[in-house]
Amino acid sequence: MGQFKTLFNDFLKNNGIWIALGVFVLIVIVVLIFILVPKFKKKKVDKGEIKKLWLNSLGGEENIISIEQKGSRLIASLKDYNLIDKEQLKTLGATNFILSSNKITIVLNDKDNNVGEIINKY
């Protein structure tokens, strides 16, 4: 037992500074993780507000006949296509518009792939 104690003391004398430095760096990393991780958490999205913005951009709820989503495309049948606010739709994530005689197809960017569900559900 005495030899082990001597070996352990010698080990601490030779490597103690490196052990202390390692523990210090580990503590700093853990503190930084606890400080930085909450800043990167996603904010909770108010789906009711998203629905309201999309409906207003499409001319209001009374202007919409039907809406369906197929992948990254939102297909809407509207009563009056002149009420569409394309600039607002672009700020909401629309990248392109295809207007035909009886519908408008709105191409969405990848992050807005559940807009149709939000509009129809909430």
Side-chain angles (χ1 to χ4, degrees):
M1 188 71 166
Q3 185 181 9
F4 175 73
K5 192 174 187 179
T6 305
L7 287 173
F8 185 69
N9 284 337
D10 289 342
F11 174 79
L12 288 179
K13 284 179 188 176
N14 294 332
N15 299 309
I17 189 75
W18 296 111
I19 293 171
L21 185 61
V23 170
F24 176 75
V25 168
L26 185 64
I27 291 171
V28 168
I29 290 171
V30 169
V31 168
L32 286 174
I33 289 172
F34 279 108
I35 291 172
L36 295 177
V37 167
K39 291 183 180 182
F40 293 112
K41 282 186 177 179
K42 283 188 169 181
K43 293 180 181 178
K44 189 173 180 180
V45 178
D46 182 9
K47 293 181 181 179
E49 185 65 27
I50 291 174
K51 177 180 179 175
K52 182 179 170 185
L53 290 170
W54 276 92
L55 291 177
N56 288 339
S57 299
L58 293 171
E61 194 168 354
E62 60 282 345
N63 191 41
I64 299 171
I65 298 170
S66 68
I67 290 184
E68 67 175 302
Q69 185 165 357
K70 293 182 180 178
S72 64
R73 294 174 293 137
L74 187 67
I75 302 165
S77 296
L78 305 173
K79 294 176 185 173
D80 185 359
Y81 293 94
N82 295 321
L83 298 177
I84 297 172
D85 185 353
K86 288 184 180 180
E87 292 304 314
Q88 177 67 25
L89 288 172
K90 286 179 183 178
T91 63
L92 293 172
T95 58
N96 200 2
F97 308 96
I98 304 165
L99 188 59
S100 63
S101 60
N102 61 350
K103 66 182 177 181
I104 183 170
T105 302
I106 303 167
V107 181
L108 305 171
N109 61 16
D110 291 337
K111 71 178 184 175
D112 294 323
N113 61 5
N114 62 350
V115 171
E117 178 186 334
I118 292 172
I119 291 172
N120 288 324
K121 188 174 181 180
Y122 295 94

